[in-house]
Amino acid sequence: MSAERFEFQAETARLLKLMAHSVYSEKEVFLRELISNSADACDKLRYEALSKPDLIGEAATFRIDISADKDAKTLTIRDNGVGMSRADLIDNLGTIARSGTAKFMEAAAGAGDSGGAPVDLIGQFGIGFYSVFIVADRVEVTTRRAGESETWAWTSDGTGAYEIAEGDPAKLRDGRGAAITLYVRDDEAEFLEPARLKHIVKSYSDHVPFSIFVADGEEETQANSGGALWRQPKSELSEKDYTEFYQSVCGGYDAPWRTIHYTAEGRHEYSVLLFLPTMAPFDLYDPARRGAVKLYVKRVAITDDAGLLPAYLRFVRGLVDSQDMPLNLSREMLQNNPIVASIRSALTKRVLNDLGKAAENDADGYEKFWRTFGPVLKEGVYEDFERRDDLLALCRFYSAAKGELISLKDYAEAMADKQAAIYYLHGEDLERLKQSPQLEGYRARGVDVLLMTDPVDGFWTGVVTEFDGKPLKSVTQGAEDLDALPLEDAADETPAANDAAMATLIAAVKTALGDAVCDVRKSNRLTESPVCLAAREGDADLQMRRMLNRDEGPCVLELNPSHALIRSLSEKAGDGAHQPAIENAAHLLLAQAQISAGEAPKDAAGFSRRLTDVLSTYAG
C-alpha cells in the first residue's frame, strides 16, 4: 500500500512552522510531552484489559523505552500501551482544535516579540505532541492498536502535510503501542546523549507510574522512580516532588499554588492528591471543557471524566485513588455510584475549606488566585445552593471606596450608619464603572459600592438577595435609600433648582422624549453629572438587561436638580419661546445618559444632528 498524503489545516501548518523555529527557553519539554502521552496510552490499555485480557496477553508489564542513535541522529520513544488505529492517527495527530491553535499562536508570537516565550505555552494550549518540532525536522510514528492486526506509520516534516502508510511491526514492543522516532536537527545533538536524556526524565517525569528505561549502548537503565506518589506519606515528600508530579502526571505547566494531599479512611477508603494551579488554561470557559481530576481504582487509571468536582472547580487538577470501587466501572455506574457521590461531596468540601484557609492566611496569594479563577468560582454561587454561603464567603469584589478587592464580610463590617443594603454596580469595564454617575450620590454619603465586571455577576445577584441579613441592591434600581443617609459634607451641597421649575422641566422632557423613556424624575443619586439612567423598580439592573438583550421597555431618565445645566434649563422650561431648545436638550441629555451607562445613543443620527446644531450655535 502506497503512502497517503494529507494536508494539515491552515492553522496547524502555521503552528508547526512556529514550533520548528522554536521560541521556547526550555527545549527539553518535548520529551516530557512524549512520555506523558506514552503513560496515558499504557493507562488506557491497562484499563481496557480489565474486561478484555487478551489485549495484553502475556505482555502485562507496561514500560516506556527511550533510545538514541547518534549516527542516524534519531531519538525514539517507545511504549507498549494501547496504540492507535489509522483513524486515531488522523484524529489525534492530524488535527488541532482551531481555537486552541489560534490562541496559542497569538500568545507565542507576542512572547516571541518580547524575547522568548515561557515554556508553559505548550501545555496551556494542549499541543504537546507538536513540541517534537522544537528539536526535530521530521517525525515518524509507528503504531498498532491493541487487538488489531494492522500497523501504521505516520510521518511529517512539519511543513504543512503528513503521510500515512503501512508500518513495520518490528519497531514495536510486544506487537502493540507506539514508537515515535524524531530525526533530530544537527544543532540539537545534546538530546542524543543518554546522560542528558536521563537527567530530563528525572527532572520532569520521575513520578510517571510506569518504568522509563533509557538505553546507553547495550545497557538499559531505569531513569524514574515510578512510584504512586499519592500513596506516600506527606512527611516524606518535598515541594519539588509535588511540582514534578503535578507537571508530569497531572498535565500542569506552572507551579501549583496549593496542594491538597490526604487519605480518607472509614466508610470509604481513598487517597487524594489535588493541586490548585496558578495559571488558567486557554479553554477554562469552554462549556465542553471537562474536569482534570482523574479517578484511579487500586492504582489503575479508570477515567479523567468522573465528575469528581463540580464544574465551578474545573480548574483543580489531580487524582483520587479508591480502594472500594470495582475496577470495571462503566460511565453509567460512575454517575449512579454512591461511593462516587460521597467522594464528590467530600472533595468539594475539602477544596472550599482549603480556599477558605488560604484566604485567611495568604491574602496576597489568594488575591492572585481570585483574579485568575474568581469568575469560575462565582458560577457556584448561582449553581450550588447547598454551598452558597461558603462560596459567598470566598468571593472578592472591587470596592469603589477602597480601590481594592474586599469580601462581603469586609463590606458589611464597614457599612455606614443607617445604611440598610449592600450596594453594587454591574458593568463590563472597571475603569468605566469607577467614573459612573451612578456612584456620585453614594460617594457623597460615604457609602461604598461594589463594582462587578464578570458576566456571571448578573446571574448570581439575581438569585442571591441578601448576605448576613443585609439585602443586596444594584445602584441602578432606584435610589430611595439615599434619602435616609446624610451627606458627609452638607456645606458643599449645591443649591437645587426650584421644585416648581423642576416639575415643569420634567414634564417638558417627558413630552419631548415620549416613549424613549418610561419616566423622568428628579435624582438624589447625582452630585456632579446632569443626568443618568436607572431601571424601574422590579426590573433587572441595566447591565443585566444589556447582557441578556432583554426588552423590558425604556429606562428611567434622572435629572440632577443641583447641576448648573439642569437649573438653567428649569428656569427656561416655563417659557414657550425656549420650547425647541428644551426639546433638543432633552434628546441630548438622554444620549449623554446612555453613553455614560456604556450604551450607544439609540438615535445616533438625531444625536449627531443635534450636537452639530449646538456646536454651530456656540461657534457662531
Side-chain angles (χ1 to χ4, degrees):
M1 175 182 175
S2 59
E4 291 185 80
R5 183 177 177 84
F6 300 82
E7 296 291 330
F8 283 117
Q9 60 185 28
E11 290 89 345
T12 305
R14 291 171 57 203
L15 183 146
L16 297 181
K17 182 178 179 181
L18 180 62
M19 284 291 191
H21 297 82
S22 169
V23 294
Y24 298 98
S25 58
E26 298 179 42
K27 296 181 179 181
E28 61 264 32
V29 70
F30 80 91
L31 188 56
R32 177 177 66 180
E33 291 299 314
L34 296 181
I35 290 173
S36 294
N37 290 345
S38 290
D40 287 344
C42 292
D43 261 334
K44 289 175 183 177
L45 180 55
R46 185 166 64 173
Y47 177 60
E48 288 187 16
L50 293 174
S51 57
K52 299 177 182 179
D54 290 345
L55 290 177
I56 58 175
E58 297 181 0
T61 301
F62 295 97
R63 56 183 284 168
I64 300 168
D65 296 285
I66 302 173
S67 60
D69 185 332
K70 294 182 182 179
D71 295 331
K73 297 180 181 177
T74 60
L75 175 65
T76 301
I77 295 87
R78 181 183 292 106
D79 68 72
N80 58 348
V82 71
M84 287 179 281
S85 65
R86 181 179 180 278
D88 292 334
L89 286 170
I90 295 173
D91 292 341
N92 297 337
L93 302 188
T95 306
I96 309 176
R98 287 180 181 269
S99 61
T101 304
K103 291 185 179 181
F104 167 82
M105 289 187 294
E106 179 182 336
D113 292 342
S114 62
V119 69
D120 53 33
L121 282 178
I122 290 176
Q124 186 179 0
F125 292 96
I127 52 173
F129 172 79
Y130 297 93
S131 62
V132 296
F133 291 106
I134 294 175
V135 300
D137 51 24
R138 187 161 72 93
V139 61
E140 178 183 290
V141 180
T142 301
T143 183
R144 175 190 285 178
R145 187 75 160 79
E148 298 186 1
S149 58
E150 295 175 306
T151 303
W152 300 98
W154 182 100
T155 59
S156 177
D157 60 6
T159 59
Y162 62 93
E163 293 182 349
I164 296 179
E166 290 183 358
D168 181 3
K171 294 183 178 181
L172 302 175
R173 172 179 287 276
D174 302 324
R176 65 170 190 258
I180 303 174
T181 300
L182 283 63
Y183 291 81
V184 178
R185 294 198 297 271
D186 292 341
D187 56 343
E188 306 295 350
E190 64 179 287
F191 298 108
L192 300 176
E193 297 292 337
R196 178 80 166 102
L197 297 171
K198 292 176 186 177
H199 176 75
I200 295 172
V201 172
K202 191 69 177 175
S203 298
Y204 290 104
S205 305
D206 191 45
H207 297 293
V208 169
F210 300 101
S211 298
I212 303 172
F213 290 91
V214 176
D216 187 352
E218 298 297 322
E219 296 184 5
E220 287 185 337
T221 305
Q222 184 170 341
N224 69 320
S225 60
L229 179 135
W230 60 92
R231 288 287 187 178
Q232 299 178 35
K234 292 172 63 175
S235 59
E236 297 178 5
L237 299 171
S238 66
E239 183 177 344
K240 182 174 181 290
D241 291 326
Y242 284 124
T243 299
E244 289 176 358
F245 185 88
Y246 167 74
Q247 294 178 340
S248 63
V249 178
C250 299
Y253 296 85
D254 48 346
W257 172 52
R258 305 277 295 182
T259 300
I260 303 173
H261 183 193
Y262 67 96
T263 297
E265 297 176 340
R267 260 178 61 192
H268 306 300
E269 182 180 345
Y270 54 91
S271 298
V272 175
L273 182 53
L274 302 178
F275 300 96
L276 303 183
T278 55
M279 182 182 71
F282 82 98
D283 59 347
L284 183 63
Y285 298 100
D286 185 346
R289 187 179 192 273
R290 299 179 299 179
V293 177
K294 301 178 182 180
L295 174 64
Y296 282 66
V297 174
K298 300 178 178 67
R299 304 193 186 188
V300 176
I302 302 299
T303 180
D304 57 1
D305 189 24
L308 294 175
L309 286 173
Y312 61 83
L313 293 176
R314 59 185 175 271
F315 50 83
V316 179
R317 297 176 182 265
L319 60 87
V320 174
D321 187 0
S322 171
Q323 298 302 300
D324 304 326
M325 282 188 274
L327 284 167
N328 59 340
L329 274 171
S330 65
R331 183 175 297 274
E332 291 74 20
M333 291 174 66
L334 275 174
Q335 292 174 346
N336 302 302
N337 189 290
I339 301 178
V340 173
S342 176
I343 292 175
R344 183 185 295 117
S345 177
L347 284 188
T348 303
K349 181 179 180 181
R350 186 65 176 253
V351 172
L352 296 184
N353 285 345
D354 187 81
L355 285 172
K357 292 177 182 176
E360 292 180 7
N361 304 322
D362 181 12
D364 291 341
Y366 187 77
E367 181 172 333
K368 292 177 182 177
F369 161 82
W370 180 259
R371 292 184 184 279
T372 304
F373 299 108
V376 178
L377 200 62
K378 279 190 286 190
E379 293 175 11
V381 178
Y382 178 75
E383 299 170 352
D384 193 341
F385 175 80
E386 180 183 349
R387 301 177 181 87
R388 183 167 291 164
D389 290 342
D390 294 332
L391 287 162
L392 280 174
L394 294 172
C395 290
R396 298 293 183 268
F397 307 97
Y398 187 87
S399 160
K402 296 183 179 179
E404 61 185 25
L405 292 176
I406 64 171
S407 67
L408 289 175
K409 180 181 178 183
D410 294 333
Y411 182 101
E413 290 176 348
M415 283 173 60
D417 292 341
K418 298 183 180 181
Q419 180 181 343
I422 296 173
Y423 296 103
Y424 62 85
L425 176 62
H426 288 157
E428 297 177 356
D429 180 77
L430 181 60
E431 294 306 315
R432 180 187 289 273
L433 289 184
K434 290 179 183 177
Q435 305 302 320
S436 173
Q438 307 280 2
L439 301 181
E440 293 172 5
Y442 295 89
R443 188 181 295 121
R445 292 166 172 81
V447 175
D448 195 6
V449 177
L450 300 176
L451 307 183
M452 302 182 181
T453 57
D454 296 320
V456 69
D457 290 321
F459 293 94
W460 73 261
T461 52
V463 296
V464 179
T465 58
E466 65 173 36
F467 174 79
D468 195 24
K470 301 172 180 62
L472 274 71
K473 188 170 184 179
S474 169
V475 298
T476 70
Q477 294 174 296
E480 292 81 1
D481 298 350
L482 288 179
D483 292 333
L485 298 171
L487 292 167
E488 283 194 317
D489 192 346
D492 292 339
E493 186 173 0
T494 306
N498 177 276
D499 286 344
M502 271 302 297
T504 302
L505 176 62
I506 287 172
V509 172
K510 280 184 180 180
T511 301
L513 296 180
D515 293 338
V517 295
C518 70
D519 194 11
V520 180
R521 67 190 180 202
K522 184 169 63 174
S523 177
N524 61 356
R525 83 178 76 226
L526 297 172
T527 60
E528 300 171 13
S529 301
V531 289
C532 72
L533 293 179
R536 291 179 299 186
E537 201 69 38
D539 283 358
D541 86 294
L542 299 184
Q543 174 65 7
M544 194 62 180
R545 287 163 54 124
R546 286 193 289 270
M547 281 177 52
L548 298 179
N549 197 24
R550 182 185 293 176
D551 185 10
E552 292 187 336
C555 297
V556 176
L557 180 67
E558 293 192 352
L559 307 181
N560 178 6
S562 298
H563 194 278
L565 173 61
I566 302 302
R567 291 203 312 270
S568 176
L569 289 173
S570 70
E571 292 168 1
K572 296 178 174 62
D575 187 343
H578 293 291
Q579 183 177 351
I582 295 293
E583 290 183 0
N584 269 340
H587 287 281
L588 286 171
L589 287 171
L590 175 60
Q592 180 181 349
Q594 290 167 340
I595 292 171
S596 296
E599 303 176 4
K602 298 295 188 292
D603 181 11
F607 170 68
S608 177
R609 184 180 65 254
R610 292 184 181 93
L611 182 60
T612 300
D613 290 344
V614 169
L615 293 175
S616 296
T617 302
Y618 175 77

